[in-house]
Amino acid sequence: MKMIGIGDNGAEGLLPQYTNWIDECDVLVGGERHLQFFPEFKKEKKVIKGGLSVLTAELQQETRNVVILVSGDPLFYGLGSVLAKKLPLEIYPYTSSVQLAFSKMKESWQDAYIVSLHGRSIKGFAQRIDGRKKIAVLTDEMNSPQAIATYLKRFGMTEYDAFVAENLQGENERCRFFTLDEMEQSSFFPLNVVVLKQRVSVERASIGISDDAFLQRKPDKGLITKKEIRTLCLQELGIKENSIVWDIGTCTGSVAIEASKMAREGAVYAIEKNDGDLKNCLENQLKHRTDFVAVLGKAPDRLDEFPDPHAIFIGGNGGNMEHLLQTCISRLQPNGRLVMNIATIENLAEALQHLKALGCEVTILQVQISKSKPILNLTRFEPLNPIYIVTARKGKES
């Protein structure tokens, strides 16, 4: 059974050996567009449409000579990786749409970051591409070039110019360069690839963003996990690039924003009970080029809307600690970590009791930090409020 990649130029782009295999096969499988490239084929045709389970089951029982046609490189966001696990396939790739786009642009692509928004949410796109110099984006009707331009402008990512390659190797092929403003106002064929390239270099922020860089509630400024404490908490959370993270009581969003930059291929979910603080969090997302889910509510309410996390940060529990911790630990993935900031010994004792009852391995870090402050031409130290950072690790069987 053979799977052959094909371009929008149809049979003329295939090697002679590939066209011979198609002519000689008993069953030709492909999308409607692919099958239309072979009107002379008179034997059985199967259209790939909707779910693959029925087609896969049929092909597993097939004893005849079968050829499957798919767009471009079958192993590049294609059916090849799915069907190869279930069928005895030989795979013969065509040039991928990204390769063709860069060739039209006359740009190297070994250093490009490639992301597909085809059939996917654009949520999280900002932190995934922030700081990257060259990006190829696979689009769809929802995540069109116009929508991508609007999105980037919302997050202040105006250092990018764009190249859009449409209907590659088709009869209406069109390739153009744009500014984001131009791309937002233009129209495009549905089949396209967008390449973003930095016009000027912009570096990503390092861990430990200054407190003053976040919008905060006024006049009672200071409802934020301070930079020094935040950095320690992020380290305790053990966040990886693909982690799913919860931030409970996110307030300004400082922890969630830094977690999003660390888990740029994962996802962050935040909840905040105060409407004004949530608005600041949403504004801070735009300012700091992060795009995560932030909802209004008092945990554990609404946590069932979030996927199971690898890491949970609790900045405040709102007086319902036992129920909240039970919910969080039950949802935390095996070997996941929950980190709490606690200011009083009473709350510390209660947290330890609940977490140990839930079978967690618990460690505590007592943090007392003083920061230098000028006084005339001298320097003194001003202490931050002491705090306990509690880290609970869930065992495999919890």
Side-chain angles (χ1 to χ4, degrees):
M1 194 175 296
K2 295 177 173 60
M3 176 175 280
I4 299 174
I6 189 168
D8 272 0
N9 55 354
E12 68 181 63
L14 296 178
L15 294 173
Q17 178 65 71
Y18 295 0
T19 55
N20 287 340
W21 287 338
I22 292 169
D23 291 339
E24 294 167 1
C25 76
D26 301 310
V27 183
L28 185 61
V29 181
E32 290 180 357
R33 186 164 55 93
H34 302 135
L35 296 178
Q36 286 171 2
F37 290 137
F38 300 93
E40 304 302 318
F41 186 85
K42 300 304 180 185
K43 286 174 275 186
E44 185 178 351
K45 292 181 178 180
K46 284 183 182 288
V47 179
I48 299 175
K49 205 168 189 177
L52 290 177
S53 56
V54 174
L55 175 64
T56 303
E58 290 176 358
L59 293 177
Q60 285 173 332
Q61 303 301 317
E62 188 60 72
T63 57
R64 292 174 293 172
N65 184 4
V66 178
V67 169
I68 305 170
L69 300 175
V70 298
S71 295
D73 183 346
L75 298 175
F76 182 77
Y77 293 105
L79 296 179
S81 58
V82 177
L83 295 181
K85 296 173 183 175
K86 301 176 181 179
L87 299 171
L89 285 179
E90 297 173 14
I91 298 177
Y92 300 89
Y94 189 70
T95 308
S96 74
S97 57
V98 168
Q99 286 176 287
L100 289 170
F102 276 104
S103 69
K104 296 294 181 180
M105 194 179 177
K106 299 180 175 60
E107 278 274 351
S108 62
W109 67 286
Q110 75 274 0
D111 54 344
Y113 175 75
I114 300 168
V115 57
S116 176
L117 295 180
H118 186 85
R120 295 169 167 83
S121 171
I122 200 170
K123 201 74 180 170
F125 186 61
Q127 60 261 32
R128 292 177 74 181
I129 70 167
D130 185 27
R132 301 192 194 272
K133 303 193 181 306
K134 198 184 296 181
I135 305 130
V137 188
L138 304 181
T139 67
D140 62 16
E141 289 188 20
M142 182 72 68
N143 298 310
S144 63
Q146 301 99 313
I148 291 167
T150 301
Y151 179 95
L152 293 176
K153 288 169 65 176
R154 279 184 64 228
F155 286 88
M157 305 177 84
T158 55
E159 69 271 21
Y160 289 107
D161 286 331
F163 176 80
V164 183
E166 307 165 73
N167 292 340
L168 285 162
Q169 295 192 325
E171 59 181 65
N172 294 315
E173 179 181 277
R174 182 170 61 179
C175 300
R176 296 174 288 172
F177 289 90
F178 298 92
T179 64
L180 293 185
D181 286 337
E182 290 168 345
M183 186 163 72
E184 188 179 34
Q185 299 301 320
S186 299
S187 60
F188 302 90
F189 294 116
L191 292 175
N192 62 73
V193 176
V194 174
V195 177
L196 302 171
K197 186 178 179 183
Q198 281 187 345
R199 183 178 59 260
V200 293
S201 181
V202 173
E203 301 298 327
R204 297 178 70 219
S206 58
I207 189 171
I209 299 170
S210 170
D211 297 341
D212 292 336
F214 294 97
L215 296 172
Q216 299 172 51
R217 192 195 303 178
K218 296 176 181 178
D220 48 348
K221 184 177 178 181
L223 296 174
I224 184 173
T225 304
K226 298 291 193 292
K227 178 180 76 171
E228 295 79 11
I229 304 300
R230 189 189 327 133
T231 302
L232 290 170
C233 291
L234 289 165
Q235 184 273 326
E236 287 294 313
L237 285 166
I239 297 170
K240 298 179 173 59
E241 194 167 70
N242 62 348
S243 292
I244 296 170
V245 184
W246 290 0
D247 181 9
I248 295 174
T250 192
C251 202
T252 60
S254 62
V255 171
I257 285 167
E258 299 235 41
S260 293
K261 291 178 178 290
M262 298 169 72
R264 64 196 306 197
E265 299 291 342
V268 172
Y269 298 83
I271 185 168
E272 171 55 46
K273 65 181 181 180
N274 183 284
D275 185 56
D277 287 332
L278 181 63
K279 288 177 181 175
N280 283 336
C281 171
L282 297 175
E283 287 295 321
N284 283 324
Q285 286 194 51
L286 298 178
K287 182 178 181 182
H288 292 284
R289 300 176 161 211
T290 53
D291 181 18
F292 54 87
V293 174
V295 301
L296 184 67
K298 182 177 179 180
D301 295 344
R302 303 199 67 176
L303 294 183
D304 57 349
E305 300 172 24
F306 301 166
D308 291 349
H310 302 94
I312 301 173
F313 177 73
I314 302 178
N317 63 77
N320 58 347
M321 189 188 296
E322 183 176 9
H323 186 199
L324 177 60
L325 290 179
Q326 286 174 345
T327 302
C328 288
I329 297 302
S330 70
R331 295 286 306 281
L332 192 61
Q333 295 198 34
N335 292 322
R337 293 186 176 195
L338 180 147
V339 174
M340 300 179 70
N341 279 355
I342 296 177
T344 69
I345 56 174
E346 290 82 5
N347 281 344
L348 175 63
E350 184 183 356
L352 284 175
Q353 177 188 346
H354 297 320
L355 290 169
K356 288 183 177 179
L358 291 165
C360 295
E361 176 188 319
V362 183
T363 58
I364 308 163
L365 182 65
Q366 185 187 38
V367 183
Q368 295 176 292
I369 294 174
S370 297
K371 297 177 71 173
S372 64
K373 188 170 184 178
I375 176 169
L376 300 176
N377 61 336
L378 303 173
T379 303
R380 69 178 179 86
F381 280 90
E382 185 175 79
L384 301 179
N385 291 332
I387 198 163
Y388 302 102
I389 299 176
V390 177
T391 301
R393 182 170 177 174
K394 180 177 179 177
K396 291 182 180 180
E397 303 301 323
S398 291

